[in-house]
Amino acid sequence: MAGAARPRRRHPRALAAPAAGSPFQAPALALARLRGVEADPAFVLRATLGVFPLPEVCDPDAANEVCRQLNASVFLPFTVPAPGALAFLVEVRDRAGAACFAQKLEQDTAVADLRMARPVARIPGAELADGSYELRVRALVDGAPPRPADPELRVRFAVLRGYQARAERALGTARDLAPQLPQRDRSLLEGLAAEVRRAYLGEAFDVASDAVGDLVRLEAALENLRQDRHPLHGLRGELAGAVPGAAAPLACVLRPAGGRSLAEPGPARPLVVIAGASPAYDLEATRPAAPATRGPRWLAAELGGFAAGRDWDLAFLESPGGGRNYAEDLRRAIPALRELCGTRDRPVVLVCDRESASIAGLQLAGLRGSIAGLVLVGAGAIPAPVLDGLGDLPVRLGLLHGCRSSDGLQRVLDYVARAQAEQRWRGDVRAFGGPAPAWPYGLPAFAPAIEAFVAQLAGP
């Protein structure tokens, strides 16, 4: 166990290194250490490799010819050293794991070609039944396949005949109907439509593709509105939508307690609102060109087991970025979520990570009346007058390894310590215990402590 613990202690240091033009180097090094192997050039290349599966939903009956087959383009988002001569095995497997397609790519496979996404496997959609499939890409280095500890590239796509026509019809109906709806319903509909539009236009998915499910949910919401019902009538469990924001709807993932439909009346439940961090490659806040914000599906996946079994509603929010007025986004989103979930007089706890925590800390005076508790992870300087006026609002802080924005949290703790020493402190501000986790994993690492904190305020 001691040998296994050492890499776990070292990997926060590896992830704290600046990207220096190669953002995948530090995560590859950390992953290799966790797996007990060397991050040699072959490991780093396999950890960096990507694939564009377009279209995300292959429609053999599509009017647009390019939608009738899957085009799997292998690429490198950043230049890394070539470990040898490269080739790629591209396979498609169905849900049962049976192979449906295989092709070896040996042309245009140099690093310069991969930077331009030149190697392409074309999978005929007409030869596949409707359903979900897994696309596997394995990099061969001088003919050698991946080793057991090497990363393997796997993504999902779907085949659905009639998808193009259905998506165009649903998006057109949503566009025409949205201006006629009240704000809550308009935001929900626009959020559902945004997920379908993303897949239809070929934008990258978050976490994993659920494009067919997104279309089915949008069609169901449109039928509900046609029948003068709540747009979420009959839609149960976790779903991606949006709530009103400052200038545009704020994307969110809703996870109602017990998998219920939010359209069904029921007892009021506590609500946990979790706001994520902006996309970044390193602790220097080196940003990708796109996306401008980090979608809430990433956040929901990272906290997939959070509060499992608790009778709480959860809402995961899109990150700051893209010129949004995020302080106003939060001020609008929290009451909208309270109304949508039927929270009524039950407590609302706000949990924020890094950039969203910075905003929430500075704007806490304006948020104070809408929340019963606050968690700030990795950032969140709170002005002294606001700290003095917190009253009984409990605040918990999570510091991250090597993260300079955590210095603001430390200053908050230092201020509280001085006020306590001078016997003038009346608030409830504390840090979570334990070692500081690596910056990308703050929320998952603190999840048990956050859950215990919410339980103190809301009950089980």
Side-chain angles (χ1 to χ4, degrees):
M1 291 296 293
R6 280 194 293 272
R8 292 180 182 275
R9 288 196 296 268
R10 288 200 303 267
H11 93 269
R13 292 199 296 273
L15 291 172
S22 184
F24 286 76
Q25 188 77 38
L29 176 59
L31 180 62
R33 286 176 174 174
L34 285 172
R35 294 182 176 182
V37 298
E38 179 189 358
D40 61 12
F43 188 98
V44 173
L45 180 132
R46 287 174 173 134
T48 307
L49 196 68
V51 62
F52 290 119
L54 294 174
E56 192 174 324
V57 182
C58 184
D59 178 3
D61 296 339
N64 189 341
E65 185 176 354
V66 299
C67 297
R68 298 175 197 162
Q69 66 180 6
L70 181 76
N71 301 283
S73 303
V74 184
F75 74 101
L76 280 173
F78 293 92
T79 300
V80 297
L86 300 174
F88 302 96
L89 289 179
V90 179
E91 296 179 328
V92 172
R93 294 182 179 269
D94 63 18
R95 279 195 174 275
C100 305
F101 174 90
Q103 183 179 351
K104 187 176 182 179
L105 303 178
E106 299 179 277
Q107 302 297 318
D108 299 325
T109 59
V111 167
D113 296 312
L114 291 167
R115 292 287 287 115
M116 300 299 292
R118 290 194 177 108
V120 181
R122 294 179 172 85
I123 299 100
E127 298 179 7
L128 300 175
D130 287 1
S132 178
Y133 295 86
E134 182 180 69
L135 176 70
R136 300 183 182 182
V137 180
R138 291 188 293 161
L140 308 182
V141 178
D142 291 329
R147 299 157 297 192
D150 283 339
E152 270 196 26
L153 185 57
R154 301 185 181 192
V155 297
R156 300 207 71 85
F157 72 97
V159 175
L160 179 62
R161 286 159 177 82
Y163 173 82
Q164 180 189 347
R166 287 173 59 182
E168 290 173 352
R169 184 165 54 249
L171 289 171
T173 303
R175 181 188 62 245
D176 295 341
L177 184 59
Q180 308 169 33
L181 299 174
Q183 187 179 50
R184 182 203 67 181
D185 292 355
R186 183 170 67 251
S187 295
L188 283 171
L189 184 62
E190 289 178 353
L192 292 166
E195 295 297 322
V196 176
R197 188 179 306 109
R198 176 206 58 75
Y200 179 82
L201 295 176
E203 298 176 14
F205 52 78
D206 291 345
V207 187
S209 172
D210 190 23
V212 172
D214 290 333
L215 175 59
V216 170
R217 285 184 284 272
L218 174 59
E219 290 173 330
L222 290 169
E223 178 61 19
N224 285 332
L225 291 167
R226 192 180 73 83
Q227 299 284 350
D228 293 325
R229 297 190 297 240
H230 191 293
L232 302 184
H233 173 80
L235 295 176
R236 299 183 178 277
E238 185 172 297
L239 61 87
V243 290
L250 186 68
C252 69
V253 168
L254 302 166
R255 188 181 294 164
R260 79 186 199 283
S261 168
L262 290 175
E264 298 173 354
R269 295 171 171 85
L271 171 63
V272 185
V273 180
I274 306 171
S278 301
Y281 289 130
D282 61 15
L283 281 169
E284 304 298 319
T286 307
R287 302 272 185 252
T293 63
R294 193 167 187 254
R297 278 181 156 161
W298 288 109
L299 198 58
E302 289 168 357
L303 294 172
F306 179 73
R310 302 277 191 179
D311 196 27
W312 306 339
D313 292 328
L314 308 181
F316 304 91
L317 300 182
E318 177 184 4
S319 78
R324 298 191 69 107
N325 181 348
Y326 203 73
E328 185 61 26
D329 282 339
L330 289 176
R331 280 193 284 269
R332 290 173 181 254
I334 291 173
L337 287 165
R338 182 189 287 274
E339 176 190 0
L340 178 62
C341 296
T343 307
R344 297 194 286 278
D345 61 347
R346 301 292 282 150
V348 176
V349 179
L350 177 62
V351 179
C352 297
D353 186 22
R354 287 175 286 147
E355 283 80 8
S356 63
S358 292
I359 294 166
L362 291 173
Q363 301 295 326
L364 182 53
L367 297 169
R368 170 73 180 83
S370 61
I371 58 176
L374 176 66
V375 175
L376 302 176
V377 173
I382 303 174
V386 177
L387 281 169
D388 291 337
L390 283 179
D392 59 355
L393 178 71
V395 178
R396 296 294 177 267
L397 312 178
L399 280 68
L400 301 179
H401 177 86
C403 189
R404 283 203 292 264
S405 60
S406 285
D407 293 347
L409 299 181
Q410 187 58 57
R411 285 193 290 272
V412 169
L413 294 171
D414 292 343
Y415 180 88
V416 169
R418 288 195 300 272
Q420 288 174 330
E422 297 167 4
Q423 298 185 345
R424 58 181 178 81
W425 179 249
R426 297 292 183 271
D428 181 8
V429 177
R430 283 177 268 169
F432 292 131
W439 67 274
Y441 309 123
L443 285 180
F446 288 123
I450 295 171
E451 184 172 340
F453 173 61
V454 177
Q456 291 174 0
L457 301 174

